[in-house]
Amino acid sequence: MDLESRTDHVHREILGFLPPNLMDFSDLDAGRAQLMAMLAATPVELPDDISVEDHHVATADGHSLLVRVYRPSGAGAGSPALYWMHGGGMILGNVSMDDAICASYATGAGAIVASVEYRLAPDFPFPTPLDDCYSGLAWLFGMAAELGIDRTRIAIGGASAGAGLAAGLALMARDRGDFRPCFQVLRYPMIDDRNDTPSSHAIEDQRVWNRSANQIAWSAYLAGGAGGSDVSIYAAPARATDLAGLPPAIVTVGDLDLFLDEDIAYAQALLGAGVPTELHVYPGSFHGSDVMVPHADASQRWRRDEVAALTRAFATAP
């Protein structure tokens, strides 16, 4: 697919600045280094009305798990909270790269935001990243009173791989019954290891998340088992056949994203299972363009839609 022919001038301008191999992970170490260097070159300054605290949570295997908490200045006792997971295809990324996103949710929804730095594949394939996310969420529920959080108003969310982890976390939380998130924010979730939809074949441009990068990422996350018959629904939520009882959700994706088809199908499956779900598809938007082109009309509408859905969820949580 020719992205330039499907985008407006604002998106085309950004595409023109991106290195042609930005999302080439055939050499994973080199690809990671290039992308993280690019992110580090554009540091984020958080708003003055957001305070940040880093907490370290011990996991069952002795790992010290970073959970960064963003608190808006007006947050008092009984505040709602969003538990967030960053993107990066399960193979790269960190908490810091989503500082601006988490701060925007905190100010926009008046919520405390907790972002978890889970371990990455291929060094730590499934289930370790998801187990890390579960440990962090268990900590947040356990620390709710101390942090000034209302346990009945804790939502979960993420972008890309992080949204895939959020969807898996929702399934795991439902099945284990230890706690119940009130809502899911699923921004272009990475949820299907099979890569067999039309949109999964459409994006080969290595300036953005593309088919080759996605195949490499799934292979790393599933230790070479992507596309097999025994992949867990917690790793690839698109494989789940029973979605009943999950928290309400918003699913957002651009129409130039290789995850378009799997995300639409997942939203339809949630609705079919009786889970209240909003689906938003943004024309002319590619994977991550809401972050790369934050001043674009589509990106601003995207953020408003998610914050509005999250705010409504907090207001109506039982």
Side-chain angles (χ1 to χ4, degrees):
M1 179 186 295
D2 177 15
L3 294 180
E4 277 87 356
S5 68
R6 297 279 300 276
T7 56
D8 62 23
H9 72 282
V10 179
H11 289 77
R12 285 196 298 273
E13 183 177 2
I14 293 299
L15 285 169
F17 281 116
L18 296 177
N21 66 339
L22 180 62
M23 298 289 177
D24 176 7
F25 297 109
S26 54
D27 182 334
L28 181 53
D29 289 339
R32 278 174 167 171
Q34 176 179 232
L35 183 58
M36 296 313 292
M38 184 175 176
L39 292 172
T42 54
V44 173
E45 289 189 15
L46 294 177
D48 292 337
D49 60 350
I50 297 291
S51 63
V52 177
E53 286 186 354
D54 285 348
H55 299 261
H56 294 273
V57 179
T59 64
D61 63 356
H63 174 64
S64 179
L65 182 68
L66 170 64
V67 180
R68 179 167 294 175
V69 175
Y70 307 78
R71 182 182 299 273
S73 58
S79 293
L82 171 64
Y83 182 72
W84 184 257
M85 285 145 278
H86 68 78
M90 313 291 186
I91 56 175
L92 55 91
N94 55 36
V95 160
S96 297
M97 77 180 203
D98 277 3
D99 279 343
I101 293 173
C102 292
S104 72
Y105 281 126
T107 56
I112 294 169
V113 179
S115 182
V116 60
E117 188 154 298
Y118 53 89
R119 285 171 282 184
L120 300 173
D123 295 331
F124 298 97
F126 176 82
T128 298
L130 186 61
D131 287 344
D132 282 352
C133 294
Y134 193 90
S135 294
L137 184 58
W139 171 84
L140 188 66
F141 270 91
M143 289 287 290
E146 184 172 332
L147 294 170
I149 293 171
D150 178 355
R151 282 173 54 95
T152 68
R153 296 194 295 159
I154 297 177
I156 58 177
S160 193
L165 287 164
L169 195 57
L171 287 162
M172 185 174 282
R174 178 200 65 181
D175 295 345
R176 292 185 179 179
D178 296 331
F179 37 73
R180 177 176 170 78
C182 70
F183 193 67
Q184 305 176 72
V185 179
L186 305 179
R187 186 188 299 176
Y188 34 81
M190 173 183 171
I191 51 176
D192 196 339
D193 64 294
R194 293 164 293 193
N195 289 294
D196 59 3
T197 66
S199 69
S200 75
H201 288 267
I203 308 299
E204 297 182 350
D205 191 323
Q206 291 190 332
R207 292 173 296 178
V208 300
W209 193 254
N210 57 83
R211 180 172 179 81
S212 174
N214 204 48
Q215 290 173 319
I216 289 168
W218 273 112
S219 180
Y221 187 47
L222 298 178
S229 60
D230 59 348
V231 173
S232 169
I233 63 169
Y234 304 132
R239 289 177 174 262
T241 57
D242 177 12
L243 302 179
L246 290 177
I250 180 171
V251 179
T252 59
V253 65
D255 72 338
L256 307 180
D257 194 316
L258 77 168
F259 296 147
L260 175 65
D261 293 339
E262 65 197 64
D263 292 351
I264 290 175
Y266 195 67
Q268 291 176 319
L270 287 167
L271 288 165
V275 178
T277 302
E278 290 185 41
L279 170 65
H280 296 260
V281 178
Y282 300 94
S285 298
F286 50 84
H287 192 82
S289 65
D290 59 306
V291 176
M292 295 182 195
V293 200
H295 53 287
D297 289 344
S299 302
Q300 293 183 19
R301 187 169 70 252
W302 196 323
R303 190 61 49 84
R304 289 195 300 269
D305 289 341
E306 289 180 345
V307 168
L310 189 58
T311 302
R312 287 192 296 271
F314 289 146
T316 59

